Amino acid sequence: MYRTLQLGLSAAFLVTSSGCWSSDTVIFELALSGTAGDADLAVPVSLEAYYQSIGEGILETDIFFIDAFEVVASQPFSHTLSYPLEGGRGLFLFAWADQDQDGALCAPGVDDEPVGGLRIDQPTEQPLNNLMLTLDRLCISPDQLAAELQP
Amino acid sequence: MLVLLAPLLLIPAPALAADSTASFDWASASSRPGGWTASVHGGWPWSGLRAQVGLNQRLTLIGEVDTAVFVRFQPSAGLALLLVGKSKGRLSLEICAGGLIQGGVLAQQGPSASLRLRLAGRPAPVGPYLAVATRHTFLFHRTQTRQIGTEQADVTVRWEHRWSPSVQLGLTFAPKPHIGFDIGLDLNFVDVGVVALSLPGFHVGIHFGNPAPKARGS
C-alpha cells in the first residue's frame, strides 16, 4: 500500500511541479525623443504608440495600442516607452492635436484636428532619437493612417 | 484542509461490499483494497481518462486527466476518502493536486488543486451519481523589463487565482461487475469571473476493472 501511495504522490508532485510560468513577458524600455507638431498649435500633442500588427493567421490585426503620452507641440520631447517584445510586431507612432479639447479625435462635427504618424518596422533597444512627427493630415484614424503609410 | 480531514481517518472504515462493480467504484471514487478501475469518457466539451486503485477500506488513489476539446488539459492525482460506504450508496471526498495546461490564443498554465464530493447510488443495474467539485488554479506571470543602460533585467512576478467549480450528474449502468458505462451532464464553470459564460456539456464513459480482488493467499 505504501509503495502505491508513494508512487501516486510522486506522480502528483511531478504533475504539480511541471507547471511553470503561465506567461513570460519581456519588455524593453525604448527611449523616444524628437518633436511633434508645429509651433502654431496652441494645444498639446497626444502621442500614441501602437504595434503595427498583432496576432497570427486569421487573427492577425492591424495596429494594437501600447501606450500614450502628451508632448508640447514643436518642443523637444523625450519619453521612455515600455515595449512588450512578444506582444506584436513593429511600432507605429500616431500623433494628434485635440484642437477643441473634447478628449476625442474628430468627434462628429469636427473635421479639422491634425494628425500624423511614423512607422518603425523593427524597433530595437537602441534609442529612437530625432523623431519628427509632422501633423500634416486631418482627421484620419490611427489604423487608417498606419495603412496609408505602409510602404 | 488535510489537517481538518485527518480525524476522519480515525473513524472506523466502512467495509465495502465484495459484490461491487467497476461502475459503482468509479462513480464513488472508492475501491476495495487492491481493487482498481479505469475509465475513458468522451463528450463535449470534456473528455478524459481516469484510474483508481484502493489502498485500504477508506482510501483510494486516483489519477486522471480531463481535457476540454483538447485545448485545455487538467491532469491531477490524489486521494479519495470514503465517508459513507453502504451497500446502496456511497459518499466520498477527493483531494487532488495537479496542473492546468491550456493552449490556443488564451494560453495559460499553472498548478491546481481540487476538492470533489461524490455521491453515488449502487447501479442495479442502473444507478445515479452526483459529483460536485471546486478547482483552484494559480497562474504565475513573469515580466522581465530590460532597462536602458543596464545589463540585468528587472524581474517582477505576479500571480492570479482562477476558480473553476463543476457539477456532474449522471447515470451508471453496470451490466457486468468488471465493466460498465455512464452517461452524464457536465456543468463546468471555467475560470469564474474571467470567462463570462461556460456552456453545459455531456459525456459517455466506459469503466472497467477489478472491483473485488481476491485476498492474498486465497
Side-chain angles (χ1 to χ4, degrees):
Chain A
M1 170 193 164
Y2 289 107
R3 181 160 177 77
T4 313
L5 184 61
Q6 192 178 17
L7 280 171
L9 291 176
S10 301
F13 174 76
L14 279 174
V15 166
T16 307
S17 60
S18 64
C20 42
W21 303 113
S22 187
S23 67
D24 196 1
T25 308
V26 177
I27 294 173
F28 69 75
E29 291 187 339
L30 184 59
L32 307 174
S33 64
T35 58
D38 299 324
D40 56 355
L41 281 174
V43 295
V45 173
S46 295
L47 264 174
E48 296 172 358
Y50 294 87
Y51 287 117
Q52 289 181 8
S53 65
I54 61 162
E56 306 286 344
I58 59 168
L59 296 177
E60 186 169 347
T61 307
D62 288 340
I63 77 162
F64 189 80
F65 181 78
I66 301 172
D67 192 15
F69 53 99
E70 281 193 348
V71 300
V72 178
S74 80
Q75 297 294 309
F77 73 85
S78 64
H79 180 78
T80 302
L81 175 70
S82 293
Y83 181 86
L85 202 56
E86 290 158 11
R89 293 170 291 278
L91 178 64
F92 173 62
L93 293 175
F94 178 77
W96 63 286
D98 192 4
Q99 295 279 43
D100 58 0
Q101 295 287 286
D102 67 346
L105 170 64
C106 299
V110 180
D111 57 6
D112 62 347
E113 290 184 331
V115 303
L118 197 60
R119 292 176 67 100
I120 297 112
D121 291 336
Q122 290 181 322
T124 65
E125 291 173 75
Q126 298 301 315
L128 293 169
N129 297 322
N130 303 319
L131 298 170
M132 283 189 64
L133 285 139
T134 309
L135 279 61
D136 55 358
R137 309 289 295 274
L138 294 176
C139 289
I140 299 178
S141 64
D143 55 334
Q144 193 180 348
L145 187 62
E148 285 186 15
L149 293 177
Q150 200 164 4
Chain B
M1 182 60 74
L2 288 171
V3 174
L4 293 174
L5 293 174
L8 288 171
L9 292 170
L10 302 176
I11 300 171
L16 294 176
D19 60 344
S20 186
T21 63
S23 290
F24 193 23
D25 285 3
W26 170 84
S28 61
S30 54
S31 293
R32 284 165 61 87
W36 64 273
T37 302
S39 72
V40 181
H41 66 269
W44 186 90
W46 293 91
S47 303
L49 306 168
R50 178 182 168 93
Q52 67 183 55
V53 58
L55 298 177
N56 61 27
Q57 288 287 355
R58 190 182 281 281
L59 284 177
T60 299
L61 184 65
I62 291 165
E64 65 178 12
V65 57
D66 285 324
T67 175
V69 294
F70 297 96
V71 172
R72 182 184 177 100
F73 292 87
Q74 297 179 166
S76 59
L79 293 169
L81 180 67
L82 184 65
L83 302 176
V84 177
K86 302 289 185 187
S87 61
K88 290 190 175 179
R90 296 178 190 167
L91 177 68
S92 67
L93 183 67
E94 286 175 33
I95 303 167
C96 290
L100 164 70
I101 303 158
Q102 181 170 304
V105 178
L106 302 173
Q108 56 178 254
Q109 63 177 12
S112 69
S114 64
L115 202 63
R116 188 186 284 146
L117 197 64
R118 285 182 173 271
L119 179 64
R122 179 185 173 81
V126 180
Y129 70 88
L130 172 71
V132 181
T134 176
R135 174 180 287 268
H136 301 267
T137 304
F138 297 92
L139 306 178
F140 295 91
H141 306 279
R142 181 171 68 171
T143 302
Q144 301 177 63
T145 305
R146 295 188 203 158
Q147 292 173 315
I148 296 169
T150 60
E151 289 291 322
Q152 285 190 327
D154 178 37
V155 179
T156 56
V157 174
R158 180 176 61 85
W159 66 275
E160 57 182 324
H161 165 246
R162 298 283 175 90
W163 179 44
S164 300
S166 65
V167 177
Q168 210 174 41
L169 183 67
L171 293 171
T172 52
F173 302 88
K176 303 277 184 186
H178 296 280
I179 192 164
F181 309 90
D182 82 286
I183 55 169
L185 292 173
D186 304 319
L187 301 171
N188 286 42
F189 303 94
V190 173
D191 296 346
V192 172
V194 178
V195 175
L197 178 68
S198 294
L199 295 175
F202 67 94
H203 74 265
V204 177
I206 179 168
H207 334 117
F208 53 93
N210 185 4
K214 289 177 182 173
R216 276 181 196 164
S218 64

